[in-house]
């Protein structure tokens, strides 16, 4: 019987193989031939990517999505996984109790604060290595939307308020990542700068602001790094859902910018399948079987053309051809997490920003004993929430970081917080259970501890300095609030800062605040009370070590702000048009009624401030800020000199000598801004055109940095003629340490105006 079965089976296999031989095979035959040989059902299945259940016991079970296999054409499944701060592998190896982890890298905002594309390439390469070594094909990152307003819940995943910095950082990350053989997905295309009502909100933006700000970042990334994939966003844009817009996904992205990869939809968006396929989404993600059916029916009833299906199928097959899965790459499942932890730590230290350092409060000295206050010192955030959270092996908090660096902390303070947190955790145990709500919005965090003045007074006697850590977290689906405990300090935090400062200052001792936050927060209202402020962002799993590297001066801070920190939230132009006090209702989110959709900032958001985002507003209109764009201190000083400009037909090369004029080695992030001659359009006083970071300069050492840009980069977008225009005349090129700290200027004469018409208008 067995023999007969065997004979039957081999017969079936041989005849299937013989049949397959006649069919075109991926990699051997032209893609067009395969698409022509596929049935409509097969093509419709190819265009719907499936979400994998996360309760499986293999690595692939933690993929956020897959593409379907077609054995008869030699097409394997491919696997996509989140996200921006590391590969979200989260599983146990079958047959063992060994859990797999990925490295928790610093969040994007910190990475942008490095102003160093080499750091981004190194982080990208390490992530890319984990991606392919765990058996995935594509990372669902980086994310590069503009940080229009500090309250956007996803700002930590995004780089900057400036499109050039965002675009260049993304391009470097993509290059590093893709150098390892897997692919990157840049997301969320486009104008996804708000989370409230995230699947329905219509971002209403002028053509000029779109071109100069909200699309420019994507344009740079697409052209400079050729990402494998672009994720279309949840929101609408000027009246049309981005996923339903052929203008955005085909005319602009492919025809104008030359994108050649695949477009994947953001997960589970409640929009029409047929319209989305037509618009240019190649893969319906977070896909469901009903969508396959909808594609088949669409073709049969004429609402969807076969040409659209074939076009998208070709894109998907072209993508599969380059994947490690297709190339049968043998994943080791054992990437070098130790080496990557080092990459993470070094990147973190490069991006931490020293905001204030009065009377050399920092670096700490050998003799110091630190009173380490604040729940945040012990309950430290490596990264943000939602799909950008990572399953990292550990998180070094502040106390561990300081101890690892041999900094003496006061045992009574440490003991107090450890006991306080243990008691708090017992209380919070019942709310902090793993469920979808906590996954999105995070576990409830312990309140700041109340510390009596006499306790602080004792510590001021036997410690030489105080360090206080304030932590914040946020994530997708929810925006932050301009309220206590979020953008503002809680009463407990304020009191802690005030009381510690008063009591330590009475003894002539310094107080330093470390901010552990994914994005901007109010600093101006309390900054004067303390001597030092360190913006640590969310610095990844090695965070405490990286902060200690900065506090001790092992690493001289060289991070600079990728956004403006305002004095007051309402100084920010977009604060007039950003949701506030919208309490989350699940029902409203999934099924918003007419009433909700008619509400400003929920149903739609007016980008009324237009191009005047961040420093473009503050710097041009001379509005005071807490800390300007591009700002960051060092333990040394730098001199700028000998600025030169070399102009060729289409580009400009600016060089400048940077000398370390201080006493310790350090690096400087140098920025190049342009000021245009007066013309028809009102333009920002300064716009970032290029930047560079020096190597580590020893005291007295000089280096020449080079910054290059194209003459066409000087253009602004004139929507009345749908053209990029750079007027002839004299431009000022300002080289500075921040947008407000200009060290040298050069003149650039443009003899002829440049005008370049664009074909696509993103408007309905
Ligand atoms: C997020 C995406 C993410 C996807 C898959 C969505 O909720 O918006 O950024 O890649 O989920 O996890």
């Amino acid at each position: 019987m067995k023999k007969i079965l065997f004979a039957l089976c081999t017969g079936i296999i041989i005849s299937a193989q013989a049949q397959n031989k006649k069919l075109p095979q991926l990699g051997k035959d032209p893609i067009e031939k395969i698409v022509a040989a596929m049935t409509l059902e097969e093509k419709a299945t190819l265009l719907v990517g499936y979400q994998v259940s996360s309760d499986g016991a293999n690595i692939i079970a933690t993929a956020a999505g897959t593409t379907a296999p077609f054995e008869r054409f030699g097409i394997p499944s491919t696997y996509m996984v989140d996200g921006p701060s590391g590969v979200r592998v989260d599983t146990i190896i079958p047959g063992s109790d060994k859990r797999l982890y990925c490295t928790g890298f610093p969040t994007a905002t910190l990475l942008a604060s490095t102003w160093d594309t080499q750091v981004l390439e190194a982080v990208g390469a390490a992530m890319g290595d984990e991606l392919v070594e765990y058996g995935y094909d594509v990372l669902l990152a980086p994310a590069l939307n503009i940080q229009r307003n500090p309250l956007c819940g996803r700002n930590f995943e995004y780089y900057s308020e400036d499109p050039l910095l965002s675009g260049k950082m993304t391009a470097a990350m993509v290059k590093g990542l893709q150098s390892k053989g897997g692919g990157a997905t840049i997301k969320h295309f486009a104008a996804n700068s708000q989370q409230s009502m995230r699947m329905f909100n219509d971002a209403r933006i002028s053509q000029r602001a779109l071109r100069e700000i909200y699309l420019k970042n994507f344009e740079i990334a697409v052209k400079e790094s050729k990402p494998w994939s672009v994720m279309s966003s949840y929101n609408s844009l000027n009246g049309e859902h981005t996923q339903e817009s052929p203008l955005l996904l085909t005319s602009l992205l492919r025809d104008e910018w030359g994108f050649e990869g695949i477009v994947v939809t953001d997960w589970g968006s409640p929009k029409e399948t047929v319209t989305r396929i037509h618009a240019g989404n190649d893969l319906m993600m977070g896909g469901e079987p009903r969508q396959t059916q909808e594609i088949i029916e669409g073709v049969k009833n004429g609402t969807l053309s076969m040409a659209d299906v074939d076009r998208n199928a070709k894109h998907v097959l072209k993508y599969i051809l380059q994947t490690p899965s297709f190339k049968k790459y043998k994943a080791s499942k054992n990437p070098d997490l130790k080496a990557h932890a080092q990459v993470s730590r070094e990147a973190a230290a490069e991006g931490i920003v020293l905001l204030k350092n009065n009377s050399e409060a920092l670096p700490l000295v050998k003799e110091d004993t630190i009173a380490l206050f604040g729940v945040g010192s012990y309950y430290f955030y490596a990264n943000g929430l939602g799909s950008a959270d990572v399953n990292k092996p550990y998180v070094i908090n502040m106390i561990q970081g300081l101890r690892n660096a041999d900094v003496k902390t006061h045992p009574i303070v440490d003991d107090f917080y450890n006991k306080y947190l243990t008691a708090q955790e017992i209380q919070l145990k019942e709310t902090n259970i793993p469920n979808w709500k906590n996954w999105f919005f995070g576990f409830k965090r312990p309140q700041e501890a109340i510390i009596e003045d006499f306790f602080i007074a004792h510590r001021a006697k036997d410690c030489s300095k105080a360090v206080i850590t304030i932590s914040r977290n946020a994530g997708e689906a929810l925006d932050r609030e301009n309220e206590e405990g979020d953008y503002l300090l809680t009463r407990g935090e304020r009191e802690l800062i005030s009381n510690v400062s008063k009591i330590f200052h009475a003894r002539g001792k310094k107080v330093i605040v470390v901010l552990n936050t994914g994005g901007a927060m109010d600093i101006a209202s309390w900054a004067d009370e303390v001597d030092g402020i360190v913006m640590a962002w969310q610095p990844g799993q090695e965070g405490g070590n990286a902060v200690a590297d900065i506090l001790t001066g092992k690493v001289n801070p060289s991070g600079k702000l990728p956004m403006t920190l305002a004095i007051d939230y309402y100084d920010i132009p977009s604060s007039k048009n950003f949701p506030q006090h919208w309490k989350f209702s699940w029902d409203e989110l999934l099924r918003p009624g007419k009433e909700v959709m008619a509400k400003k900032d929920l149903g739609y958001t007016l980008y009324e401030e237009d191009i005047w985002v961040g420093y473009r507003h503050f710097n041009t209109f001379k509005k005071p800020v807490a800390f300007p764009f591009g700002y960051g201190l060092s333990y040394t000083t730098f001199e700028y000199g000998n600025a030169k400009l070399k102009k060729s037909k289409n580009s400009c090369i600016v060089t400048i000598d940077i000398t370390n004029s201080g006493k310790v080695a350090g690096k400087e992030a140098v920025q190049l801004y342009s000021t245009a001659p007066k013309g028809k359009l009102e333009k920002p006083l300064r716009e970032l055109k290029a930047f560079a970071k020096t190597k580590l300069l020893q005291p007295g050492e000089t280096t020449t940095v080079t910054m290059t840009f194209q003459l066409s980069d000087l253009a602004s977008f004139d929507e009345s003629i749908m053209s990029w225009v750079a007027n002839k005349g004299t431009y000022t090129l300002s080289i500075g340490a921040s947008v407000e700290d200009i060290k040298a200027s050069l003149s650039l004469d443009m003899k002829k105006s440049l005008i370049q018409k664009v074909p696509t208008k993103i408007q309905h």
Side-chain angles (χ1 to χ4, degrees):
M1 182 65 185
K2 259 191 188 166
K3 267 191 187 161
I4 299 169
L5 253 182
F6 179 74
L8 268 176
C9 288
T10 34
I12 290 164
I13 290 165
I14 288 165
S15 86
Q17 276 172 350
Q19 225 187 355
N20 280 2
K21 266 201 184 139
K22 282 187 227 133
L23 287 169
Q25 297 294 299
L26 189 64
K28 295 198 182 107
D29 297 294
I31 281 172
E32 290 71 20
K33 265 196 162 176
I34 301 172
V35 173
M38 286 178 112
T39 63
L40 172 59
E41 284 70 16
E42 284 172 325
K43 284 187 265 193
T45 308
L46 181 68
L47 302 190
V48 179
Y50 290 92
Q51 183 144 17
V52 189
S53 97
S54 55
D55 54 6
N58 58 41
I59 292 180
I60 293 317
T62 61
T66 67
T67 57
F70 300 88
E71 215 191 309
R72 65 193 203 109
F73 298 108
I75 302 171
S77 273
T78 64
Y79 304 98
M80 301 180 166
V81 66
D82 283 304
S85 305
V87 180
R88 276 179 67 84
V89 62
D90 183 7
T91 191
I92 293 172
I93 298 184
S96 80
D97 57 1
K98 196 179 161 213
R99 234 199 146 75
L100 293 180
Y101 295 99
C102 70
T103 306
F105 291 96
T107 51
T109 304
L110 181 146
L111 294 176
S113 309
T114 66
W115 293 73
D116 189 341
T117 50
Q118 281 177 16
V119 171
L120 276 281
E121 279 198 42
V123 170
M127 277 192 207
D129 186 64
E130 291 186 24
L131 179 81
V132 297
E133 290 310 330
Y134 278 136
Y136 303 109
D137 298 289
V138 174
L139 192 73
L140 299 170
L144 67 151
N145 296 97
I146 294 295
Q147 296 177 348
R148 169 183 179 243
N149 183 288
L151 302 185
C152 170
R154 290 190 97 158
N155 275 356
F156 72 96
E157 295 185 56
Y158 302 159
Y159 291 103
S160 170
E161 70 185 20
D162 180 80
L164 179 93
L165 188 59
S166 306
K168 295 279 180 190
M169 289 299 163
T170 305
M173 172 68 93
V174 171
K175 281 184 202 159
L177 202 145
Q178 294 190 168
S179 72
K180 295 291 174 178
T185 307
I186 61 170
K187 66 186 186 183
H188 310 86
F189 191 55
N192 187 242
S193 292
Q194 168 180 328
Q195 286 302 292
S196 304
M197 199 54 72
R198 68 171 174 165
M199 292 191 183
F200 301 94
N201 178 269
D202 181 27
R204 298 189 183 166
I205 311 178
S206 76
Q207 296 301 305
R208 181 179 180 194
L210 267 177
R211 289 284 178 168
E212 291 185 19
I213 312 281
Y214 297 97
L215 296 175
K216 190 76 198 166
N217 45 352
F218 283 94
E219 182 181 358
I220 293 170
V222 165
K223 289 183 175 167
E224 292 189 6
S225 65
K226 300 200 179 322
W228 286 18
S229 167
V230 167
M231 187 185 290
S232 50
S233 59
Y234 283 137
N235 55 289
S236 294
L237 178 53
N238 289 343
E240 190 176 38
H241 193 257
T242 59
Q243 297 182 357
E244 297 184 330
S245 171
L247 281 177
L248 188 70
L249 303 184
T250 302
S251 312
L252 181 79
L253 182 63
R254 289 192 190 275
D255 304 343
E256 240 193 270
W257 293 351
F259 175 68
E260 289 181 347
I262 49 168
V263 176
V264 304
T265 65
D266 199 346
W267 267 234
S269 165
K271 293 285 164 181
E272 276 237 338
T273 306
V274 161
T275 327
R276 288 194 282 168
I277 295 283
H278 168 69
N281 297 279
D282 302 302
L283 267 180
M284 309 306 299
M285 267 308 180
E288 297 163 37
R290 71 161 170 89
Q291 293 180 300
T292 306
Q293 223 32 56
E294 283 164 12
I295 296 171
I296 297 169
E297 273 156 32
V299 173
K300 286 189 177 157
N301 66 27
T303 49
L304 181 63
S305 79
M306 192 60 128
D308 285 341
V309 172
D310 286 352
R311 173 199 63 184
N312 295 9
K314 280 178 208 160
H315 293 154
V316 177
L317 291 184
K318 199 171 148 210
Y319 142 74
I320 294 175
L321 253 182
Q322 7 167 35
T323 58
S325 288
F326 177 75
K327 294 178 181 162
K328 298 196 168 49
Y329 181 74
K330 277 238 154 320
S332 67
K333 311 219 174 17
N334 193 19
D336 191 345
L337 295 185
K338 215 165 158 206
H340 295 170
Q342 188 58 24
V343 174
S344 180
R345 175 173 179 167
E346 284 170 16
E350 287 283 315
I352 290 172
V353 185
L354 180 63
L355 292 177
K356 179 171 182 181
N357 193 18
N358 275 13
S359 326
E360 296 183 359
L362 289 171
L364 304 177
V365 291
K366 250 207 187 102
E367 298 70 36
D368 276 332
T369 299
I370 304 300
L372 186 59
F373 291 110
V375 162
S377 298
Y378 304 79
Y379 198 100
F380 196 80
Y381 293 127
N383 51 256
L385 299 164
S387 58
D389 198 357
V390 286
N391 177 35
K392 52 224 165 270
Y394 56 83
V395 179
I396 304 289
N397 63 16
M398 287 287 297
I399 179 79
Q400 288 162 331
L402 289 178
R403 280 190 191 143
N404 292 345
D406 285 332
V407 174
K408 289 186 282 298
T409 56
H410 198 288
I412 296 181
V413 187
D414 305 350
D415 191 43
F416 167 82
Y417 276 101
N418 281 329
K419 290 198 172 119
Y420 172 75
L421 283 170
T422 312
Q424 286 278 309
E425 265 157 27
I426 294 169
Q427 282 191 55
L428 293 174
K429 219 173 177 172
E430 275 153 46
T431 25
N432 286 347
I433 43 173
N435 59 22
W436 62 263
K437 225 170 180 172
N438 287 334
W439 183 83
F440 269 121
F441 309 135
F443 289 143
K444 206 166 183 316
R445 197 171 158 265
Q447 295 281 317
E448 195 55 72
I450 297 169
I451 316 260
E452 300 292 344
D453 283 1
F454 74 87
F455 184 81
I456 301 173
H458 277 289
R459 301 301 72 87
K461 205 160 74 187
D462 43 31
C463 294
S464 56
K465 281 173 187 154
V467 172
I468 304 170
T469 311
I470 305 290
S471 289
R472 290 289 183 272
N473 214 354
E476 65 182 278
L478 197 65
D479 285 316
R480 296 172 58 198
E481 298 269 1
N482 179 32
E483 277 183 2
E484 290 187 3
D486 201 340
Y487 190 73
L488 306 175
L489 294 186
T490 61
R491 217 167 124 190
E493 289 166 339
R494 276 214 73 112
E495 277 172 13
L496 182 67
I497 291 179
S498 294
N499 296 346
V500 169
S501 298
K502 259 185 243 136
I503 297 168
F504 270 68
H505 287 163
R507 284 187 176 267
K509 295 182 177 177
K510 305 263 177 341
V511 178
I512 295 121
V513 172
V514 172
L515 294 170
N516 169 217
T517 165
M521 58 183 289
D522 167 54
I523 302 176
S525 70
W526 51 267
D528 285 349
E529 295 177 45
V530 302
D531 309 282
I533 304 175
V534 175
M535 179 57 102
W537 305 118
Q538 289 175 331
Q541 69 183 41
E542 287 283 329
N545 285 335
V547 179
D549 287 342
I550 294 295
L551 294 183
T552 57
K554 183 177 166 202
V555 175
N556 190 348
S558 64
K560 292 194 176 179
L561 292 174
M563 85 288 279
T564 311
L565 295 181
I567 294 175
D568 186 277
Y569 172 72
Y570 291 104
D571 291 347
I572 300 161
S574 60
S575 61
K576 275 207 290 180
N577 293 287
F578 198 83
Q580 274 285 286
H581 312 299
W582 179 53
K583 293 294 169 224
F584 180 79
S585 139
W586 205 231
D587 213 46
E588 261 187 339
L589 177 77
L590 296 177
R591 284 171 289 277
K594 275 198 185 133
E595 239 171 69
V596 173
M597 290 306 287
K599 271 192 199 159
K600 185 158 92 72
D601 304 341
L602 288 184
Y604 66 96
T605 298
L606 300 174
Y607 283 48
E608 220 178 355
E609 72 285 357
D610 207 54
I611 61 154
W612 306 102
V613 179
Y615 73 85
R616 283 169 165 75
H617 164 80
F618 288 102
N619 185 250
T620 308
F621 302 112
K622 310 255 175 306
K623 302 278 180 208
V625 299
F627 299 99
F629 177 79
Y631 171 91
L633 298 172
S634 164
Y635 298 144
T636 188
T637 48
F638 297 97
E639 267 168 25
Y640 289 54
N642 196 24
K644 285 187 191 145
L645 167 67
K646 213 169 111 202
K647 195 175 142 212
S648 69
K649 193 163 164 258
N650 299 320
S651 59
C652 284
I653 301 173
V654 171
T655 53
I656 188 158
D657 293 346
I658 309 290
T659 303
N660 181 347
S661 49
K663 294 201 182 77
V664 287
K667 295 181 186 175
E668 172 75 335
V670 184
Q671 301 146 44
L672 173 67
Y673 298 91
S674 76
T675 307
K678 283 242 163 321
K680 180 180 152 201
L681 296 178
E682 198 185 356
K683 296 209 340 159
L685 177 63
R686 291 189 188 114
E687 281 179 310
L688 185 72
K689 294 298 162 199
F691 57 90
K693 196 157 182 180
T694 67
K695 60 179 182 165
L696 185 72
L697 291 175
Q698 297 305 321
E701 193 181 351
T702 300
T703 194
T704 306
V705 297
T706 304
M707 292 173 283
T708 308
F709 65 92
Q710 303 301 307
L711 286 179
S712 56
D713 295 339
L714 297 172
S716 295
F717 193 76
D718 184 344
E719 56 184 58
S720 68
I721 51 169
M722 285 303 285
S723 301
W724 286 104
V725 179
N727 285 322
K728 64 179 179 189
T730 304
Y731 289 74
T732 305
L733 302 176
S734 307
I735 303 152
S738 84
V739 71
E740 288 188 3
D741 185 9
I742 301 305
K743 308 280 192 185
S745 294
L746 295 162
S747 281
L748 166 66
D749 283 324
M750 285 259 288
K751 299 264 180 294
K752 249 178 40 197
S753 296
L754 298 176
I755 302 180
Q756 199 205 346
K757 202 163 172 57
V758 303
T760 325
K761 190 170 183 183
I762 311 292
Q763 196 149 42
H764 279 267

